[in-house]
Amino acid sequence: MTAREIKKDIFYVGAQDWDRELFDELIPLAEGTSYNSYFVKGKEKNLLIDTVDPAKTEVLVENLKSLGVDRIDYIVSQHAEQDHSGSIPKILELYPQAKVVTNIKCKEFLKSLLLIDESKFITVDDGTELSLGDKTLKFILTPWVHWPETMSTYLKEDKILFTCDFFGSHVASSELFVGDNTARALEGAKRYYAEIMMPFRAPIKSNLKKIEGLEIELIAPSHGQIYDKPELIIEAYRRWTSDTVQNKVTIVYLSMHGSTVKMVERLIDDLVKMNIVVEPFNVVKMDVGKLAISLVDSATVVIATPTMLVGVHPDVAYAAYLFNALRPKTKFISIINSYSWGGQAIDQLKGILSSVKAEIIDPVSINGYPKDQDLNAIDELSEKISMKHKKAGIF
């Protein structure tokens, strides 16, 4: 994307990555992604907020050239991860007078990751202000969104909050602003929150409070589109980080010879009859991002696995590991297991889920193909889930 003016003397100079399909070698990118960088022209000083992934450095350089930028005094680094910081060395090479403005923790990360010399830094603290002559920037430390050194930058006169990964989304788009396409924006943002931000729900709630007093006209993250209706994404984050869950059961399953899926189908039928929303995910075919989205507000998660080599199937173990790492606000967990001659699948799953603070509803374990009494046990599990939801006031 070419350089575009956001407000007077404030420009988008980042890059769209239409073809990227995987992030962190894990997260599928259904709509590519963007690396947003912003140039602010001040009366006395010029400033760049974040850079782009090293693969798109030349796009950033060309955008700056197209604006006739002959001087950059400050490079604000809000987060040290290379998709935002990776082009800093090239910008320092082209604009040697520039200083990297960041907090102490981020400085140490940048020195380690990019080998930037100590002399190139100006460190700021929470609430520090920096003047460009006619524009004033206020730095707001927002740790654990999603690294310990992350921060946001508030441009006071123009009422723009630059948030880096905070409020971001993996979306490549020729439309710079969200505008009226709010459904698409929220879907992308919820996926992003689920995959990256959800483990840090508590610090994110604290950081939301830190920006409450700001008058914000635009939220400009470093991935995805700019929010020209900031309350849209702020309210969404308030919902996602709250303790509220929905009357919903997420089922993660795999079946090798039909036993497990038979029980899962019975469970789905039971729950639907009880007016509980069900979202099943076959781990062999699932989109990890969609599973993560489901976990954001699901009251209960059921993991169903056959026994393989006396334990949990490796693909189910992988899904359970992700569940444990994401640490959703799920209230209840249960396990369904089928086996032939023995195994420790249930105990293994309980061990994998050690970080999930949820009540475990008695698992169902059957030998061989499910018989009537086994399906009755699934009916009982459904009843227990329904009663737990009602008792918790989720219905």
Side-chain angles (χ1 to χ4, degrees):
M1 184 185 289
T2 58
R4 298 171 67 179
E5 192 168 34
I6 299 170
K7 280 192 172 186
K8 187 178 185 304
D9 293 332
I10 305 166
F11 301 87
Y12 176 93
V13 290
Q16 304 296 307
D17 198 340
W18 306 94
D19 298 326
R20 188 163 181 175
E21 297 179 346
L22 199 63
F23 204 83
D24 289 342
E25 302 306 311
L26 172 66
I27 298 168
L29 301 180
E31 297 188 76
T33 192
S34 67
Y35 318 109
N36 301 341
S37 178
Y38 304 95
F39 176 72
V40 183
K41 181 177 176 59
K43 187 175 181 180
E44 297 175 4
K45 302 285 186 179
N46 294 337
L47 174 141
L48 188 68
I49 298 178
D50 288 330
T51 65
V52 300
D53 189 271
K56 296 292 183 179
T57 299
E58 288 309 310
V59 176
L60 171 60
V61 171
E62 287 302 313
N63 284 340
L64 292 171
K65 287 181 179 178
S66 72
L67 294 175
V69 176
D70 58 5
R71 190 185 84 253
I72 294 177
D73 300 284
Y74 306 116
I75 305 166
V76 174
S77 180
Q78 301 184 112
H79 174 32
E81 207 165 4
Q82 290 92 327
D83 51 321
H84 308 296
S85 69
S87 297
I88 291 177
K90 182 63 176 180
I91 299 301
L92 288 173
E93 177 188 325
L94 295 175
Y95 301 93
Q97 73 274 34
K99 296 287 187 178
V100 179
V101 179
T102 193
N103 60 76
I104 292 173
K105 284 186 179 180
C106 192
K107 180 185 77 169
E108 295 307 315
F109 287 168
L110 292 171
K111 287 167 61 179
S112 176
L113 295 171
L114 301 176
L115 308 180
I116 300 173
D117 188 80
E118 173 82 28
S119 64
K120 298 302 294 182
F121 288 96
I122 296 174
T123 55
V124 297
D125 205 344
D126 196 23
T128 299
E129 294 189 357
L130 178 67
S131 175
L132 305 182
D134 57 339
K135 295 181 184 295
T136 309
L137 298 107
K138 181 178 180 179
F139 301 105
I140 304 166
L141 301 191
T142 51
W144 296 112
V145 189
H146 60 121
W147 276 23
E149 88 305 2
T150 51
M151 69 181 192
S152 297
T153 304
Y154 180 58
L155 188 51
K156 296 173 70 173
E157 290 80 6
D158 296 280
K159 301 179 178 60
I160 303 175
L161 183 64
F162 300 93
T163 57
C164 201
D165 280 340
F166 200 10
F167 304 129
S169 60
H170 283 308
V171 173
S173 176
S174 62
E175 297 174 296
L176 191 58
F177 297 95
V178 169
D180 293 328
N181 199 355
T182 57
R184 178 198 183 195
L186 286 180
E187 181 181 354
K190 189 173 186 180
R191 175 184 282 256
Y192 189 90
Y193 169 83
E195 294 170 333
I196 297 170
M197 299 293 183
M198 188 157 55
F200 310 101
R201 187 167 66 96
I204 288 172
K205 289 172 74 171
S206 298
N207 287 318
L208 283 170
K209 292 179 181 178
K210 293 186 74 171
I211 66 171
E212 281 181 353
L214 300 177
E215 187 178 352
I216 304 170
E217 291 184 1
L218 297 175
I219 287 180
S222 291
H223 286 303
Q225 295 171 290
I226 297 171
Y227 289 89
D228 42 358
K229 299 172 184 174
E231 201 59 27
L232 176 76
I233 189 63
I234 292 172
E235 278 300 319
Y237 261 68
R238 286 179 182 142
R239 290 195 306 273
W240 300 336
T241 59
S242 74
D243 294 330
T244 303
V245 292
Q246 296 181 7
N247 184 32
K248 181 173 75 175
V249 176
T250 298
I251 303 175
V252 179
Y253 73 96
L254 180 147
S255 191
M256 297 194 309
H257 301 292
S259 298
T260 307
V261 73
K262 180 72 173 177
M263 292 186 287
V264 166
E265 288 171 348
R266 180 66 164 247
L267 180 64
I268 292 172
D269 287 346
D270 285 349
L271 294 173
V272 169
K273 290 174 184 176
M274 297 172 181
N275 295 315
I276 298 173
V277 175
V278 184
E279 293 186 352
F281 293 87
N282 183 332
V283 299
V284 175
K285 306 173 183 178
M286 74 176 181
D287 177 335
V288 171
K290 289 184 178 179
L291 171 61
I293 290 171
S294 182
L295 294 175
V296 169
D297 44 28
S298 191
T300 298
V301 172
V302 177
I303 300 176
T305 182
T307 300
M308 184 177 186
L309 299 176
V310 308
V312 59
H313 191 286
D315 287 348
V316 177
Y318 167 70
Y321 176 85
L322 287 178
F323 176 37
N324 187 67
L326 292 173
R327 298 199 298 275
K329 55 187 175 182
T330 303
K331 303 299 183 185
F332 310 104
I333 302 172
S334 193
I335 299 167
I336 296 172
N337 173 233
S338 62
Y339 67 94
S340 294
W341 46 269
Q344 296 87 42
I346 290 176
D347 288 339
Q348 287 179 1
L349 281 172
K350 287 181 179 179
I352 293 171
L353 299 173
S354 59
S355 294
V356 179
K357 307 302 181 185
E359 178 184 344
I360 297 179
I361 301 173
D362 293 338
V364 174
S365 183
I366 72 155
N367 179 253
Y369 194 77
K371 296 162 276 295
D372 287 345
Q373 66 266 28
D374 301 319
L375 296 177
N376 289 337
I378 296 295
D379 295 340
E380 292 174 7
L381 174 60
S382 304
E383 289 287 349
K384 289 177 183 177
I385 292 171
S386 177
M387 291 303 296
K388 293 288 185 183
H389 282 205
K390 289 176 180 176
K391 189 174 181 180
I394 297 167
F395 264 86

mmCIF file of all heavy atoms in Angstrom, residues 19 41 96 143 390:
data_model
loop_
_atom_site.group_PDB
_atom_site.id
_atom_site.type_symbol
_atom_site.label_atom_id
_atom_site.label_comp_id
_atom_site.label_asym_id
_atom_site.label_seq_id
_atom_site.Cartn_x
_atom_site.Cartn_y
_atom_site.Cartn_z
ATOM 1 N N ASP A 19 -0.029 -12.191 0.819
ATOM 2 C CA ASP A 19 0.227 -13.601 0.556
ATOM 3 C C ASP A 19 0.679 -14.402 1.774
ATOM 4 O O ASP A 19 0.847 -15.619 1.674
ATOM 5 C CB ASP A 19 1.291 -13.741 -0.542
ATOM 6 C CG ASP A 19 0.833 -13.145 -1.861
ATOM 7 O OD1 ASP A 19 -0.372 -13.224 -2.153
ATOM 8 O OD2 ASP A 19 1.670 -12.579 -2.579
ATOM 9 N N LYS A 41 4.849 14.164 10.832
ATOM 10 C CA LYS A 41 5.661 15.329 10.483
ATOM 11 C C LYS A 41 5.357 16.452 11.463
ATOM 12 O O LYS A 41 4.232 16.972 11.509
ATOM 13 C CB LYS A 41 5.362 15.781 9.056
ATOM 14 C CG LYS A 41 6.179 16.982 8.590
ATOM 15 C CD LYS A 41 5.865 17.313 7.146
ATOM 16 C CE LYS A 41 6.592 18.568 6.689
ATOM 17 N NZ LYS A 41 8.060 18.451 6.816
ATOM 18 N N PRO A 96 20.659 8.473 9.817
ATOM 19 C CA PRO A 96 21.593 8.232 10.934
ATOM 20 C C PRO A 96 21.407 9.155 12.133
ATOM 21 O O PRO A 96 21.872 8.849 13.235
ATOM 22 C CB PRO A 96 22.967 8.432 10.293
ATOM 23 C CG PRO A 96 22.718 9.236 9.060
ATOM 24 C CD PRO A 96 21.361 8.838 8.581
ATOM 25 N N PRO A 143 2.137 -3.209 29.516
ATOM 26 C CA PRO A 143 2.852 -4.487 29.559
ATOM 27 C C PRO A 143 1.936 -5.690 29.413
ATOM 28 O O PRO A 143 0.774 -5.656 29.780
ATOM 29 C CB PRO A 143 3.514 -4.464 30.948
ATOM 30 C CG PRO A 143 2.689 -3.526 31.749
ATOM 31 C CD PRO A 143 2.211 -2.481 30.777
ATOM 32 N N LYS A 390 -26.758 -23.876 34.546
ATOM 33 C CA LYS A 390 -27.888 -23.230 35.238
ATOM 34 C C LYS A 390 -27.465 -22.724 36.609
ATOM 35 O O LYS A 390 -27.807 -21.606 37.023
ATOM 36 C CB LYS A 390 -29.051 -24.218 35.356
ATOM 37 C CG LYS A 390 -29.738 -24.513 34.053
ATOM 38 C CD LYS A 390 -30.812 -25.569 34.207
ATOM 39 C CE LYS A 390 -31.496 -25.860 32.866
ATOM 40 N NZ LYS A 390 -32.500 -26.957 32.972
#
